[in-house]
mmCIF file of all heavy atoms in Angstrom:
data_model
loop_
_atom_site.group_PDB
_atom_site.id
_atom_site.type_symbol
_atom_site.label_atom_id
_atom_site.label_comp_id
_atom_site.label_asym_id
_atom_site.label_seq_id
_atom_site.Cartn_x
_atom_site.Cartn_y
_atom_site.Cartn_z
ATOM 1 N N MET D 322 -10.780 -0.074 -1.934
ATOM 2 C CA MET D 322 -11.909 0.234 -2.802
ATOM 3 C C MET D 322 -11.435 0.622 -4.194
ATOM 4 O O MET D 322 -12.048 0.256 -5.202
ATOM 5 C CB MET D 322 -12.753 1.353 -2.185
ATOM 6 C CG MET D 322 -13.533 0.915 -0.955
ATOM 7 S SD MET D 322 -14.236 2.317 -0.043
ATOM 8 C CE MET D 322 -15.364 2.983 -1.249
ATOM 9 N N VAL D 325 -9.303 -3.099 -5.511
ATOM 10 C CA VAL D 325 -9.987 -4.394 -5.649
ATOM 11 C C VAL D 325 -11.504 -4.276 -5.555
ATOM 12 O O VAL D 325 -12.207 -5.275 -5.700
ATOM 13 C CB VAL D 325 -9.474 -5.406 -4.597
ATOM 14 C CG1 VAL D 325 -8.009 -5.705 -4.828
ATOM 15 C CG2 VAL D 325 -9.716 -4.909 -3.172
ATOM 16 N N GLY D 326 -12.014 -3.084 -5.292
ATOM 17 C CA GLY D 326 -13.458 -2.881 -5.282
ATOM 18 C C GLY D 326 -14.070 -2.945 -3.895
ATOM 19 O O GLY D 326 -13.486 -3.497 -2.959
ATOM 20 N N ASN D 327 -15.267 -2.373 -3.788
ATOM 21 C CA ASN D 327 -15.952 -2.272 -2.495
ATOM 22 C C ASN D 327 -16.207 -3.630 -1.855
ATOM 23 O O ASN D 327 -16.107 -3.777 -0.633
ATOM 24 C CB ASN D 327 -17.291 -1.544 -2.667
ATOM 25 C CG ASN D 327 -17.116 -0.098 -3.105
ATOM 26 O OD1 ASN D 327 -16.025 0.315 -3.481
ATOM 27 N ND2 ASN D 327 -18.186 0.663 -3.064
ATOM 28 N N ARG D 328 -16.546 -4.610 -2.666
ATOM 29 C CA ARG D 328 -16.890 -5.925 -2.111
ATOM 30 C C ARG D 328 -15.724 -6.517 -1.320
ATOM 31 O O ARG D 328 -15.916 -7.098 -0.257
ATOM 32 C CB ARG D 328 -17.314 -6.867 -3.237
ATOM 33 C CG ARG D 328 -17.717 -8.250 -2.750
ATOM 34 C CD ARG D 328 -18.195 -9.115 -3.903
ATOM 35 N NE ARG D 328 -18.571 -10.438 -3.450
ATOM 36 C CZ ARG D 328 -19.748 -10.754 -2.920
ATOM 37 N NH1 ARG D 328 -20.653 -9.814 -2.744
ATOM 38 N NH2 ARG D 328 -20.019 -11.980 -2.541
ATOM 39 N N HIS D 329 -14.513 -6.364 -1.839
ATOM 40 C CA HIS D 329 -13.345 -6.938 -1.172
ATOM 41 C C HIS D 329 -12.803 -6.037 -0.068
ATOM 42 O O HIS D 329 -11.833 -6.407 0.604
ATOM 43 C CB HIS D 329 -12.256 -7.223 -2.198
ATOM 44 C CG HIS D 329 -12.638 -8.266 -3.204
ATOM 45 N ND1 HIS D 329 -12.719 -9.608 -2.888
ATOM 46 C CD2 HIS D 329 -13.011 -8.161 -4.501
ATOM 47 C CE1 HIS D 329 -13.106 -10.286 -3.965
ATOM 48 N NE2 HIS D 329 -13.287 -9.438 -4.952
ATOM 49 N N ALA D 330 -13.425 -4.888 0.102
ATOM 50 C CA ALA D 330 -13.026 -3.982 1.183
ATOM 51 C C ALA D 330 -14.080 -3.941 2.284
ATOM 52 O O ALA D 330 -14.060 -3.050 3.138
ATOM 53 C CB ALA D 330 -12.784 -2.580 0.630
ATOM 54 N N ARG D 331 -15.002 -4.901 2.281
ATOM 55 C CA ARG D 331 -16.132 -4.852 3.212
ATOM 56 C C ARG D 331 -15.698 -4.823 4.667
ATOM 57 O O ARG D 331 -16.243 -4.073 5.482
ATOM 58 C CB ARG D 331 -17.066 -6.043 2.975
ATOM 59 C CG ARG D 331 -17.901 -5.927 1.715
ATOM 60 C CD ARG D 331 -18.792 -7.140 1.531
ATOM 61 N NE ARG D 331 -17.994 -8.364 1.418
ATOM 62 C CZ ARG D 331 -18.510 -9.588 1.363
ATOM 63 N NH1 ARG D 331 -19.823 -9.745 1.441
ATOM 64 N NH2 ARG D 331 -17.730 -10.647 1.245
ATOM 65 N N THR D 332 -14.714 -5.637 5.032
ATOM 66 C CA THR D 332 -14.274 -5.668 6.427
ATOM 67 C C THR D 332 -13.682 -4.330 6.833
ATOM 68 O O THR D 332 -13.990 -3.792 7.911
ATOM 69 C CB THR D 332 -13.235 -6.785 6.639
ATOM 70 O OG1 THR D 332 -13.882 -8.042 6.430
ATOM 71 C CG2 THR D 332 -12.664 -6.738 8.055
ATOM 72 N N ILE D 334 -14.196 -1.373 5.421
ATOM 73 C CA ILE D 334 -15.229 -0.332 5.418
ATOM 74 C C ILE D 334 -16.041 -0.394 6.700
ATOM 75 O O ILE D 334 -16.351 0.628 7.324
ATOM 76 C CB ILE D 334 -16.136 -0.471 4.175
ATOM 77 C CG1 ILE D 334 -15.344 -0.153 2.901
ATOM 78 C CG2 ILE D 334 -17.345 0.448 4.290
ATOM 79 C CD1 ILE D 334 -16.098 -0.476 1.619
ATOM 80 N N ARG D 394 -17.250 -12.645 9.313
ATOM 81 C CA ARG D 394 -16.194 -12.958 8.351
ATOM 82 C C ARG D 394 -14.991 -13.584 9.036
ATOM 83 O O ARG D 394 -14.319 -14.440 8.465
ATOM 84 C CB ARG D 394 -15.796 -11.696 7.592
ATOM 85 C CG ARG D 394 -16.904 -11.179 6.682
ATOM 86 C CD ARG D 394 -16.421 -10.103 5.726
ATOM 87 N NE ARG D 394 -17.571 -9.486 5.076
ATOM 88 C CZ ARG D 394 -18.092 -8.321 5.427
ATOM 89 N NH1 ARG D 394 -17.555 -7.639 6.413
ATOM 90 N NH2 ARG D 394 -19.138 -7.843 4.805
#
Side-chain angles (χ1 to χ4, degrees):
M322 289 168 63
V325 296
N327 295 11
R328 181 177 180 83
H329 295 287
R331 286 179 300 174
T332 294
I334 293 171
R394 293 192 191 101

